Amino acid sequence: ARVNSVEYIEDYTKACVMMRESLSPESQNALMYISPAGRWTFQRRNVKSGATISTKSNAGAISTPHWVRIVRSGNEVSGYHSPDGNNWTRADVDFVPMSTDIYVGLAVSSHDDPQLATATFQDVSFGGSGFSFPVEFLDFNATPDPDISQVELNLSTASEENNSHFVVERSRDGAIFEP
C-alpha cells in the first residue's frame, strides 16, 4: 500500500498495513507502518499477550508518499518499505505464529487517545500465492470528524467481483475492534 500522507499528531502516529490472528487486544500481529516523523517501523507480537517488538528507522529517514508491505510465508513474517513501490527494502523478518485464517487490513492510529488522526492510502492490494482478493483499491481515505465521533470513508476501486458489501470495523487503540 502506498501511504500518501499521515497527519502529525505526535511522533508515533502511524498509518500501516497489518495482519493479526484475531481481533482480541492480546492477539499475535505484525504491521509495517509509516509515521509523520519520517520513520518506518516493522512491529510485531509473536506470542499471545506478549511484548511488542519493533525494528525502526531514525526519524527523518523517509518522507511520504512511501510504500509499505507485509509478507507472510507460513509463520515467517517480513516487513518491507519502498520509496517508489518497485525497489523494496526488508526492514526485518520474524517468526509470528498465526492460524491459517487471519485478519489483514489498513490501520491508522494517532497514538494519543482519544485524538483521531487522518492518513491517505493509495494502490492497496492484498494477495499472494493461491490468493485472490476480489477488489483492487485505487484510493482509500479516512477523515475523522471528532465533533460527531465519526470517520468518513471514501474509496475508489478499479474492479470488484462478487462483492455485496464491505465490513468496516473501528478501534480506539489498534487492539480492540468493533463494527
Side-chain angles (χ1 to χ4, degrees), residues 134-155:
V135 175
E136 179 185 348
F137 290 103
L138 296 175
D139 290 298
F140 184 95
N141 300 299
T143 306
D145 186 341
D147 294 333
I148 57 173
S149 298
Q150 291 184 348
V151 176
E152 178 181 338
L153 297 178
N154 292 296
L155 58 97

Side-chain angles (χ1 to χ4, degrees), residues 112-176:
D112 184 12
D113 189 35
Q115 194 164 357
L116 302 174
T118 300
T120 303
F121 296 87
Q122 183 177 349
D123 298 325
V124 177
S125 64
F126 299 92
S129 177
F131 178 86
S132 176
F133 193 70
V135 175
E136 179 185 348
F137 290 103
L138 296 175
D139 290 298
F140 184 95
N141 300 299
T143 306
D145 186 341
D147 294 333
I148 57 173
S149 298
Q150 291 184 348
V151 176
E152 178 181 338
L153 297 178
N154 292 296
L155 58 97
S156 62
T157 62
S159 63
E160 295 181 35
E161 299 173 13
N162 301 320
N163 287 306
S164 62
H165 65 282
F166 291 98
V167 176
V168 177
E169 295 180 332
R170 65 182 177 175
S171 174
R172 289 194 172 274
D173 59 7
I176 300 171

Side-chain angles (χ1 to χ4, degrees), residues 17-43:
V17 291
M18 171 189 268
M19 61 178 61
R20 53 189 307 121
E21 183 172 56
S22 74
L23 299 180
S24 70
E26 64 275 353
S27 173
Q28 295 97 307
N29 65 69
L31 55 113
M32 186 71 195
Y33 76 80
I34 301 300
S35 77
R39 177 182 286 118
W40 57 257
T41 302
F42 175 53
Q43 183 176 305

Side-chain angles (χ1 to χ4, degrees), residues 6-15 35-36 107-119 144 171-174:
V6 186
E7 179 184 14
Y8 184 91
I9 303 298
E10 64 109 71
D11 283 353
Y12 289 95
T13 299
K14 60 186 68 131
S35 77
V108 177
S109 171
S110 69
H111 209 261
D112 184 12
D113 189 35
Q115 194 164 357
L116 302 174
T118 300
S171 174
R172 289 194 172 274
D173 59 7

